[in-house]
Structures are given as C-alpha cells and as structure tokens.
C-alpha cells in the first residue's frame, strides 16, 4: 500500500513540475527589448531563434510612453495599422502577453512610424505537445519597411499546405522532466525501502 501511495504522490509531483517547467517567458528582443530596431528584420530573426508554445508568455520590455504593444490581425500587421486591435493597447512597460492559443500571433508598436521602422513581431505558437524551434513568420525579402508574412517561406516554421510537420526535436524541458522523474523516483524508492 505504501508503495502505491508513494508512486501516486511521485506521479502528481512530476506532472505539477512539468506543467510549471513547460511554460516559458520570452523577453522580446532579448537585451535589445521592444524598440525600433536597427534592421527591419530584427524581430523576425529573433523569433526564429525561439520556440513558442501555448502557455508561454512574451515580455515586451520598453519605457512607458516611448512605445506600446498591440496585438493585431495579419492584415493590420502587414499594413502597420492598429485600427483592428485585438484586445487592449498595452502602454505601460514592461508588458507581458500570455500566448493562450496556437497559431500565428501578430504584434506592433503604434507610436509614430515605429512599426514601419521594424517594430513588429509575428510568432507562431504551437500546442505544448508539438513545439518546434523557430517561431517566426518570415518577412518578405523585398527590403521594404513593411515586411509581409508568408506561411510558405522556406525559413518559416509553418508547414506548406498538404505537408506533414516534421517531428519536434527533443526540448530542454523534456530532458529536465526526465531528470526530475528519475530523481523523484529514486527518492520515493529510498523512502519506501
């Protein structure tokens, strides 16, 4: 009986720790933060280096009054237009946005011509069981200040129509979970025997 109770408690602990470890806060632009970037591809290049899963959050680091964050639909993102904002404008920095749904999410700064200068971000969010590296939607190589997004871009992590997505690479959270599970199992076994 004690063995069964220990197993159940160990399993519950592993599930709880996995849920907490799986959620990540991504600081948009890393040390650069949320600002008008030096190149109009800065944020798409940043997003490609990250994997975004449902439950993760984006932290937009900026000075209050200098920038804002607005989630918009694709058409507004491409046109740098905030007329069709999704939700409220976030004007107080730093601002955190939780990624609650899978799919492509678009964010812009509506102050002045910041968006036209490249202060815009598109991320592809995967369900937590199918996260793959590279969460950006690639901008058009046209060199304009208004990059468009395409799901069929070679560097995009969104599969082409009719394609099956590649199997995800093992994530660091998988390795952490395996380590925690083995450690907890050893502790429970030592306590029971």
């Amino acid at each position: 009986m004690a063995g069964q109770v220990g197993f159940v408690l160990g399993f519950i602990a592993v599930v709880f720790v996995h849920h907490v470890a799986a959620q990540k806060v991504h600081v948009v632009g890393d040390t650069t933060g949320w600002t008008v970037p030096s190149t109009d591809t800065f944020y798409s290049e940043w997003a490609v280096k990250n994997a975004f899963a449902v439950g993760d959050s984006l932290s937009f680091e900026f000075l209050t009054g200098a920038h804002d964050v607005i989630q918009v639909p694709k058409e507004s993102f491409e046109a740098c237009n905030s007329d069709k904002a999704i939700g409220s404008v976030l004007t107080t920095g730093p601002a955190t946005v939780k990624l609650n749904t899978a799919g492509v999410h678009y964010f812009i700064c509506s102050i002045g011509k910041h968006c036209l200068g490249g202060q815009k971000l598109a991320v592809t969010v995967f369900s937590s069981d199918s996260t793959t590296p590279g969460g950006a939607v690639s901008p058009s190589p046209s060199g304009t200040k208004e990059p468009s997004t395409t799901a069929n871009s070679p560097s995009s992590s969104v599969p082409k129509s009719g394609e099956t997505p590649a199997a995800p690479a093992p994530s660091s959270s998988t390795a952490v979970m395996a380590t925690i599970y083995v450690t907890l199992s050893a502790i429970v076994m030592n306590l029971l025997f």
Side-chain angles (χ1 to χ4, degrees):
M1 179 68 176
Q4 292 173 340
V5 171
F7 176 77
V8 170
L9 290 175
F11 181 75
I12 290 170
V14 167
V15 169
F16 175 74
V17 170
H18 177 65
H19 178 71
V20 171
Q23 296 176 348
K24 183 174 182 183
V25 176
H26 302 271
V27 176
V28 175
D30 296 324
T31 57
T32 300
W34 183 241
T35 188
V36 179
S38 57
T39 66
D40 61 353
T41 59
F42 175 81
Y43 289 109
S44 62
E45 291 167 2
W46 172 83
V48 167
K49 298 175 190 173
N50 291 277
F52 305 97
V54 170
D56 287 357
S57 296
L58 297 174
S59 178
F60 293 85
E61 307 281 332
F62 63 92
L63 294 174
T64 300
H67 303 284
D68 63 21
V69 179
I70 303 173
Q71 185 171 0
V72 294
K74 180 181 179 182
E75 299 76 27
S76 296
F77 174 82
E78 290 174 345
C80 283
N81 184 321
S82 61
D83 290 344
K84 296 180 182 176
I86 299 169
S88 302
V89 178
L90 304 174
T91 58
T92 304
T96 301
V97 175
K98 184 141 180 151
L99 301 171
N100 293 320
T101 59
V104 183
H105 298 264
Y106 302 94
F107 302 93
I108 65 170
C109 177
S110 69
I111 294 180
K113 296 190 182 221
H114 292 189
C115 180
L116 293 171
Q119 193 173 359
K120 58 198 289 186
L121 173 68
V123 295
T124 302
V125 179
F126 293 92
S127 61
S128 59
D129 60 343
S130 66
T131 303
T132 58
V137 178
S138 300
S140 165
S142 66
T144 66
K145 293 286 185 179
E146 297 181 69
S148 64
T149 57
T150 60
N152 296 330
S153 170
S155 61
S156 173
S157 59
V158 179
K160 293 179 184 176
S161 179
E163 272 187 3
T164 303
S171 68
S172 61
S173 65
T174 303
V176 169
M177 285 313 306
T179 303
I180 291 171
Y181 180 75
V182 170
T183 303
L184 286 175
S185 296
I187 291 170
V188 169
M189 291 302 212
N190 282 331
L191 291 173
L192 295 176
F193 299 108

